[in-house]
Amino acid sequence: MKVNSKAVFIVAASSMLRAQAFSSIIKQSLRRAAASASVAMSSTATPAETMANPLLDQSGLPKFSSIEPSNLSPAVSTLLENLDKDFADLTSKLSSGEETKSVDYEEVLPELEKMQFGLGYAWGVTSHLNGVKNSEDLRKAYEENQPKVVKAMAQFSQSREVYDALSAIRASMTEGEDIDFETSQKLRAVDNSLRGMKLGGVGLDGAEKDRFNEIRLRLAEIGTSFSNNVLDATKAFSLVVEDAAEVEGVPDSAKAMWASAYHASLGDEGKDVEVDAEKGPWKITLDMPSYIATMTHVPSRSVREKVYKAYITRASEFTEVDEDGKSKNNVPSIYEILKLKEERAKMLGFNNHAELSLASKMAPTVDSVKELSDLILDKALPSALRELEEITAMARANGGDDYTEENLEKLMPWDTTFWSERLKESKFDLKEEELRPYFALPSVLDGMFGLIERLFNVEVKKDESGVETWNPDVSFYNLYDKDSGKQIASFYLDPFSRPADKRGGAWMDVCIGKSDACGKDIPVAYLTCNGSPPVGDKPSLMTFREVETLFHETGHGLQHMLTKASVGDVAGINGVEWDAVELPSQFMENWCYDKKTVYGFAKHYETGEPLPEEMFEKLKEQKTYGAGMMACRQLLFGLLDMELHSNFDAEAAENGGETIFDVHRRMAEKCTPYSQPLPEDRFLCTFSHIFAGGYSAGYYSYKWAEVMSADAFGAFEEVGLENEEKVQEVGRKFRDTVLSLGGGVDPMEVFKRFRGREPSPEALLRHNGLTE
């Protein structure tokens, strides 16, 4: 996930490598590769069933135009029936006589890949639609079937027969520096599976095992409801502004977006009403493009305050119940999640959930995470304090009576982003709105694809053959290796915000993974953003932050699509430690400041004129603007997450002890002492990363991986970004290591193969202007 680096007080809601609300073993299983038609049909459904149900037609790409919520239950029933039978046959074979002692690798993990394919494909497609085309019918079908899927996948992580077989296989495998990539993949797949099974409860029995599975199921249920509550609370709020003075000076693109939103809200009544971006009315909502524009540009303090407070109280006790009387308050869910995760961790022999989480990550201990965070905080906090002093001085000098020391002791959260933007404009004589005409989405895509071709020798072409999608906004692309001309991957791109049925943020997810076992050689990715949509006859004119987000998610996609790993469990992003998975995504963001890359797409959407040289230089100068506050904000999120999952006592909190919001304030005092949360701040109620995704006790991964990504980009800087031959040479090496090896090689070893040494934080501090 990529969080907007300049909107200082915006809750984390931009890009994300999306994770389902299951335990890690279930997520891993359901993201395994899809099979070829012949393999898939033999293990999933009869031809008649397939014709009647598009979720069972798994011979190729999903049949999005014909999938309905009503297809899910019959599909899951059919797939579970086949899965149960296939798994029973396998475990029976493994448990017979001396079979386990002599079992071969090919008889276990590849067989598991094939039998899990059908359910993984159908559930993966449904989970994707639940995020990008949400509806009441789909929610109901999803929630009805989720317990069945969770229960079914639990049998894989808790099978003693499979565990014993894998243990025997592992004992027979050789390891060392001389092993080839094929052997390394298998070794990592076996090791990951054994660790996942231990963390999945394979060592538990009786009542303890039953309780463990109850927790697993309940966490999946709460994670889904948590996400739904955030989506519902986000789309429930709107503020109609009719006074033009309250939006004076706001960029035309934002006013056009809000005027269009107001017009759309009129429905049939608006047929004869003309959209007037200058006269309004304007409808402000809480989806990212609208919220960011409000905090950044609306001059009215009262409007900003209303929108900010609505944003930070979403899905909390301040949220009204729905029409059916159902609460959308996530506070009770957070306490339950924290208690359940701690109980689960202790059942597995850990002191807390953080220790359990780190068992499958690069970071060895909670203390090691805190040490890296403190190292960066020591550099970032003094810078952040200086930045805020400048912002405050700007507001006092230019904001009138409202901002005098007599009337305002310090800037409020809804002031800081607005005045930060004014200070940036003053410092660099460049407004974000002046850049947008040069960042039309079609041109940005062309330029980004050109970069991919330069660095990785891969050509990206739009597929015009009529591939089915879930929305007209979605496009489909194929990747071709330049040397062989062979198609090697594909991806869907869903670029725009649709607050009515699409979750906020941005993410990459797996549609189809690479797998020899399943006969699948063309991986397919979903790249999902929530960028500014086209308005009227204008194309999508992106903010620079949206450009960065697109590059970020594409980085995730490239690791999935350019993998050379053929063992499904470690192909692409599968099997990559969570605190290393952000390396390619954050690496790609660096190219948004590279001159050759930027001039590959930065041209005026109407005239075709390139971005003026002085504007590009100012854009580069802005790179480290606000870096101190941004770093402190990210460190706050990471340390808050770690504190809640390592030291917090949820039981005591419900009996008068420290609350989750007390912890938020305590950690803010450490990381952002200049900006304490308001008493009503309920940011945690929308912190989906850690309560409904895969980042619990793992949010620190952004900074951990950022150290590696900055150091990786440093390799290009060292040869000279103007030296095209050397840049391409290093780019091919990056492809052959970081992007190709997937989870088939330990991530530290992957980095050392690319860089020749372990990562250093020096490049990160330098890139963020924090070296003083």
Side-chain angles (χ1 to χ4, degrees):
M1 168 180 171
K2 163 69 169 59
V3 180
N4 189 329
S5 61
K6 303 300 181 185
V8 177
F9 285 94
I10 293 173
V11 177
S14 99
S15 99
M16 172 179 179
L17 172 64
R18 201 171 74 122
Q20 306 303 331
F22 297 118
S23 67
S24 59
I25 185 66
I26 292 174
K27 288 184 292 180
Q28 185 71 22
S29 297
L30 293 187
R31 276 156 57 173
R32 282 175 174 147
S36 64
S38 59
V39 173
M41 290 304 299
S42 66
S43 59
T44 57
T46 66
E49 289 172 322
T50 299
M51 290 181 64
N53 193 327
L55 284 174
L56 296 178
D57 185 354
Q58 301 175 349
S59 57
L61 297 171
K63 308 301 185 288
F64 284 115
S65 62
S66 53
I67 293 172
E68 298 290 342
S70 59
N71 298 137
L72 183 58
S73 290
V76 168
S77 295
T78 297
L79 294 166
L80 286 178
E81 182 179 347
N82 289 318
L83 181 63
D84 289 343
K85 179 182 180 302
D86 291 343
F87 190 63
D89 290 344
L90 177 64
T91 54
S92 176
K93 176 183 176 183
L94 293 177
S95 62
S96 61
E98 297 294 309
E99 184 68 32
T100 299
K101 295 181 180 179
S102 60
V103 71
D104 182 75
Y105 170 89
E106 299 297 334
E107 298 176 86
V108 184
L109 283 186
E111 291 303 311
L112 288 172
E113 276 193 58
K114 285 185 280 190
M115 70 178 64
Q116 291 173 350
F117 154 73
L119 184 61
Y121 186 105
W123 192 251
V125 169
T126 305
S127 298
H128 175 69
L129 289 174
N130 203 37
V132 297
K133 194 178 180 181
N134 195 276
S135 68
E136 280 301 317
D137 287 343
L138 182 56
R139 280 190 191 186
K140 290 176 182 177
Y142 189 88
E143 291 168 6
E144 176 186 333
N145 287 280
Q146 187 178 50
K148 304 174 190 175
V149 175
V150 173
K151 184 178 179 181
M153 299 313 297
Q155 66 182 322
F156 291 95
S157 64
Q158 295 177 346
S159 168
R160 294 286 178 85
E161 294 88 352
V162 171
Y163 184 82
D164 289 343
L166 289 175
S167 297
I169 292 169
R170 182 63 179 86
S172 69
M173 300 178 82
T174 57
E175 57 182 308
E177 296 182 0
D178 298 335
I179 62 173
D180 59 25
F181 184 45
E182 182 179 359
T183 303
S184 175
Q185 292 180 67
K186 294 178 179 179
L187 192 65
R188 285 270 293 175
V190 171
D191 282 345
N192 289 350
S193 295
L194 287 171
R195 182 184 62 221
M197 295 183 78
K198 291 175 184 176
L199 300 181
V202 71
L204 303 177
D205 290 303
E208 199 173 27
K209 179 179 178 180
D210 292 340
R211 176 58 183 158
F212 185 91
N213 287 333
E214 287 176 7
I215 292 172
R216 187 201 302 260
L217 179 58
R218 180 60 184 150
L219 285 172
E221 292 172 347
I222 305 173
T224 298
S225 66
F226 190 101
S227 296
N228 288 339
N229 288 346
V230 174
L231 175 62
D232 291 343
T234 300
K235 67 183 183 181
F237 173 87
S238 64
L239 177 67
V240 175
V241 176
E242 297 181 324
D243 184 354
E246 294 188 317
V247 295
E248 184 178 355
V250 171
D252 292 342
S253 60
K255 289 192 289 188
M257 172 176 62
W258 294 331
S260 295
Y262 176 78
H263 185 264
S265 71
L266 297 176
D268 291 340
E269 296 178 10
K271 288 181 179 179
D272 299 323
V273 178
E274 186 175 342
V275 178
D276 193 327
E278 289 303 315
K279 296 181 179 179
W282 304 272
K283 182 181 178 181
I284 295 173
T285 57
L286 297 182
D287 58 288
M288 273 294 102
S290 177
Y291 177 75
I292 293 173
T294 303
M295 291 296 104
T296 307
H297 297 297
V298 169
S300 168
R301 290 194 76 221
S302 62
V303 170
R304 294 200 310 267
E305 179 179 0
K306 288 176 186 175
V307 175
Y308 178 82
K309 288 184 174 179
Y311 196 87
I312 64 167
T313 55
R314 291 174 300 155
S316 70
E317 70 270 30
F318 302 110
T319 303
E320 296 181 1
V321 299
D322 63 16
E323 296 177 355
D324 299 325
K326 185 178 179 181
S327 172
K328 298 295 182 181
N329 180 9
N330 276 339
V331 175
S333 296
I334 293 174
Y335 282 109
E336 186 177 2
I337 288 169
L338 291 172
K339 286 188 289 185
L340 290 174
K341 286 183 177 179
E342 182 175 13
E343 181 183 355
R344 178 179 62 180
K346 289 181 175 177
M347 293 174 73
L348 295 173
F350 298 96
N351 291 314
N352 50 61
H353 174 72
E355 289 184 3
L356 186 158
S357 174
L358 294 180
S360 57
K361 294 180 172 64
M362 290 182 71
T365 63
V366 172
D367 285 344
S368 67
V369 172
K370 292 181 178 179
E371 286 169 9
L372 176 63
S373 300
D374 288 344
L375 183 153
I376 300 173
L377 184 62
D378 286 345
K379 298 285 188 180
L381 185 53
S383 180
L385 292 170
R386 290 193 297 269
E387 290 164 7
L388 184 59
E389 285 180 7
E390 279 196 277
I391 294 168
T392 302
M394 166 64 74
R396 299 224 189 274
N398 298 278
D401 291 343
D402 285 349
Y403 295 94
T404 63
E405 291 187 36
E406 293 78 14
N407 293 328
L408 190 67
E409 181 182 352
K410 65 176 185 177
L411 296 185
M412 299 303 290
W414 51 88
D415 296 322
T416 311
T417 302
F418 177 82
W419 286 107
S420 176
E421 188 68 17
R422 305 291 80 75
L423 177 62
K424 185 173 74 172
E425 292 170 354
S426 170
K427 274 178 171 281
F428 304 105
D429 190 27
L430 181 66
K431 294 184 177 181
E432 183 178 71
E433 193 69 6
E434 295 172 337
L435 291 169
R436 292 179 72 145
Y438 296 94
F439 298 150
L441 176 62
S443 295
V444 172
L445 288 174
D446 287 344
M448 185 176 69
F449 297 159
L451 172 68
I452 292 170
E453 184 172 342
R454 284 173 54 211
L455 295 182
F456 310 130
N457 202 34
V458 171
E459 186 174 12
V460 183
K461 294 182 180 179
K462 188 172 184 179
D463 190 313
E464 304 284 4
S465 66
V467 171
E468 296 181 27
T469 64
W470 54 92
N471 187 280
D473 293 340
V474 179
S475 48
F476 189 77
Y477 298 85
N478 297 319
L479 276 66
Y480 299 86
D481 180 77
K482 288 272 290 182
D483 287 339
S484 67
K486 177 185 175 184
Q487 182 185 350
I488 54 176
S490 300
F491 67 93
Y492 297 88
L493 175 64
D494 187 350
F496 307 132
S497 171
R498 293 189 301 274
D501 63 1
K502 184 180 179 182
R503 289 200 163 94
W507 61 90
M508 172 267 168
D509 207 353
V510 173
C511 176
I512 296 173
K514 194 168 184 177
S515 169
D516 270 358
C518 297
K520 209 64 177 178
D521 196 40
I522 305 292
V524 182
Y526 300 117
L527 303 186
T528 307
C529 298
N530 266 278
S532 302
V535 176
D537 57 357
K538 294 182 180 180
S540 169
L541 301 179
M542 307 173 74
T543 67
F544 188 66
R545 303 288 74 75
E546 290 171 347
V547 174
E548 286 185 303
T549 297
L550 177 63
F551 272 64
H552 179 104
E553 297 310 327
T554 301
H556 282 310
L558 289 170
Q559 187 173 35
H560 170 62
M561 294 185 286
L562 299 186
T563 186
K564 290 182 179 177
S566 56
V567 174
D569 287 348
V570 295
I573 61 172
N574 286 341
V576 178
E577 279 75 351
W578 203 257
D579 38 9
V581 82
E582 294 290 339
L583 193 170
S585 55
Q586 295 181 143
F587 163 82
M588 283 293 289
E589 291 182 51
N590 290 285
W591 294 98
C592 295
Y593 296 91
D594 171 60
K595 185 172 184 178
K596 184 165 185 176
T597 301
V598 171
Y599 278 92
F601 62 78
K603 55 186 177 182
H604 197 282
Y605 79 100
E606 289 180 316
T607 67
E609 291 294 315
L611 181 74
E613 186 86 18
E614 62 271 19
M615 292 179 75
F616 173 68
E617 292 302 320
K618 291 173 183 176
L619 183 63
K620 286 200 301 180
E621 290 173 10
Q622 290 181 10
K623 182 179 180 182
T624 59
Y625 177 79
M629 294 179 75
M630 175 55 194
C632 289
R633 175 178 173 275
Q634 286 294 85
L635 292 168
L636 168 60
F637 293 163
L639 289 171
L640 173 59
D641 165 39
M642 194 60 71
E643 185 73 5
L644 287 171
H645 288 104
S646 62
N647 291 322
F648 180 66
D649 189 339
E651 291 283 356
E654 295 187 327
N655 293 296
E658 187 181 42
T659 70
I660 54 175
F661 307 116
D662 292 332
V663 177
H664 185 189
R665 284 185 282 272
R666 175 161 58 83
M667 300 310 296
E669 183 63 38
K670 172 184 172 75
C671 299
T672 58
Y674 50 84
S675 178
Q676 282 289 305
L678 298 178
E680 65 268 40
D681 192 312
R682 295 297 182 264
F683 155 70
L684 285 169
C685 292
T686 58
F687 202 176
S688 298
H689 288 69
I690 69 173
F691 295 124
Y695 283 85
S696 60
Y699 196 89
Y700 77 90
S701 299
Y702 288 110
K703 282 301 175 191
W704 192 276
E706 194 176 357
V707 169
M708 294 191 289
S709 66
D711 200 351
F713 188 72
F716 292 84
E717 294 175 314
E718 288 168 11
V719 301
L721 294 174
E722 307 263 333
N723 188 336
E724 184 64 17
E725 182 179 350
K726 287 293 184 180
V727 164
Q728 290 187 15
E729 181 181 316
V730 179
R732 302 301 190 272
K733 188 175 182 182
F734 189 84
R735 175 184 172 180
D736 291 340
T737 52
V738 176
L739 299 180
S740 293
L741 300 179
V745 176
D746 178 88
M748 184 59 77
E749 174 61 24
V750 172
F751 187 89
K752 288 193 291 186
R753 290 187 191 181
F754 172 65
R755 203 68 170 96
R757 56 167 173 76
E758 293 189 357
S760 164
E762 292 178 8
L764 171 62
L765 296 174
R766 174 170 52 83
H767 287 175
N768 286 281
L770 302 175
T771 52
E772 295 182 4

